[in-house]
Amino acid sequence: MRKRFSIVILCGVILLSGLSVSFISCTSGAKAERPNFVSDSLVAHFDYFTYKGEDDFYKENPLPGDDYFYNPILPGWYSDPSVCTNGKDYFLVTSTFSYFPGVPIFHSTDMLNWKQVGHVLDRPEQLPLDGQRTSEGIFAPAISYNPHNETWYMITTNIGRGNFFVKTKDPFGSWSAPIWLPDVGGIDPSFFFDDDGKAYIVNNDVPDGGSTYDGHRAIRVTQFDVETDKTVGPSVMLVNGGVNLADKPIWIEGPHLYKITGKYYLMCAEGGTSVNHREVIFRGDSPMGEFQPWEKNPILTQLHLNPHRERPVTSAGHADLIQKSNGQWWSVFLACRPIGNQFENLGRETFLMPVRWSKDGFPYMTKKEELVPRIIQMEGVKRADSPTFGNFEQHDDFDTTKLGLEWMTLRGPGTELYSLHENRGYLSLKCAEVASNELKSPAFVGRRLQHHQFECATSLYFNPRSEGEQAGMLMYKDEHHQYLLAVGTAGDQKQVSLKKITGSEVETLAAKELPAGDGPIELKVSSTGTHFSFHYAFDGGETNLLIENIDAFYLSTAQSYGFTGTTIGLYASCKTFEFSN
């Protein structure tokens, strides 16, 4: 099979000056020959997609040795990480909310070098998401290994349906159909498999007697029978509110239970998954309680630090602990990297750092004024040539039969809306009768933003016939916060435009007419972190600036709230945006 050389990103030179971006030149990465199927009605054919991260931090701070890594170890909105091992292989999972497929699973043999090997929830029957908002769907998956039956478990919450788990003997392969847990309420369930073969589920739920203030939650435990895959006995409250109920702590959640040197440790997140986020620890003599909090909690937080510190890491929490085969303890957790401590478009990312132990036997990651480190050494482990962290670039020529593991769709597989042409090297998107602001499955194939500063580019063949038909590149935060760089029509004239989609209207920020003809149209987005610039070119011609200095804050969690970061990808629709009053 011939392999096309696609670039687009590499052929440009970016000059950064303050918050401005200048694009000097670009050479087309499109194939020289015109595809013979561009006349297909209501279909957009995308030739390639490129992504290149260019964050200044990585340029200014090279790693000092081949056993060092950058935090976040999984950049972009890989949130709510959970990790486990069978003593040889390590597996890590994160949340996906209303995207399909669900729960990416990463594998490592050393905890430094990770590779995505699939998704736990990759079949529609495992992942009912119809009608759920972007930040609903799958919350906080927890992965565990049961050595007594040599089975891997992933348990999670589907906000629109309830708590469930799936299991497998082979985490590189397929997982079971969902097994629902009607007696486990709340969110964030997690398995614990004890030495004696007994099993337990800990979860966030309502306290005994009900909540007495907003955000008042509890951590509960229920016994679980691995033979029948059902819970056994009552749900017992282990933690009421948090470390100190008198302080009215909020959103105790993300619990994990461990047995270490004969003692049981219950670790939870507290404070809500924003700037007050923190991780706390409790210890007891039985998985059914009682548990006492460590007097020096929290064991991980950045909430009390100077908000004006340089390049802050914030919102640290929702952690999991893992012991390597060499005896070292490490923790994965989520955190954010806001620009100037104001906003970001990356969402909550996966960080990794070593665990220390206090003299009285409690684990902790940070204390007092300690910062979450951005560069860490893992002695004895060599960094791979293509790590998951730092600046990197990815090119997709769409010359395979399946989408790469980085790609996602909304609320379903969307295979009826897109097709891959292995011998042609195109991704074809049908213009769906669904707009991207609906709680349905639009013709949108997206991937996470993973850097503040980046470039993305694509080339498409598209011949719209009416003003409702449009295709191009969509930057998507949620139903009400989007930028759409699209090819469409105005009257009888083909044009490229940038549209801002809100909860009440579509605002055209810029539009330029395109020359007559059915040649390829190249689209490009570049980011300084705080602002976006949008470019286009027609049929291999000169690259033109459509509009620059578009505010990135509009797509940020600080503006829109929600639990995801921004995705960017390819979109086609023949439906006009509609808004309810």
Side-chain angles (χ1 to χ4, degrees), residues 13 22 25 66 78 83 127-128 153 182 210 248 272 278 299 331 383 386 388 393 395 445 454 459 503 514 516 555 564:
V13 178
S22 299
S25 65
D66 61 10
Y78 292 101
V83 64
L127 195 54
Y153 293 76
K248 294 186 176 181
R278 52 195 179 270
I299 63 173
S331 175
R383 185 176 64 256
S386 299
T388 55
E393 54 188 299
H395 309 266
V445 177
F454 66 85
S459 176
L514 291 170
L555 299 183
T564 71

Side-chain angles (χ1 to χ4, degrees), residues 433-444:
E433 289 281 354
V434 177
S436 57
N437 65 339
E438 296 182 76
L439 299 182
K440 299 179 181 179
S441 293
F444 173 56

Side-chain angles (χ1 to χ4, degrees), residues 515-575:
D518 56 8
I521 302 107
E522 297 178 32
L523 304 175
K524 186 174 77 74
V525 179
S526 60
S527 171
T528 64
T530 59
H531 292 81
F532 302 131
S533 294
F534 298 85
H535 300 79
Y536 70 97
F538 179 75
D539 205 8
E542 180 183 357
T543 298
N544 302 288
L545 174 67
L546 178 63
I547 191 170
E548 62 184 342
N549 293 326
I550 297 300
D551 191 7
F553 176 76
Y554 182 68
L555 299 183
S556 70
T557 300
Q559 163 70 20
S560 65
Y561 304 102
F563 300 126
T564 71
T566 299
T567 51
I568 187 169
L570 310 174
Y571 174 78
S573 177
C574 58
K575 184 174 181 180

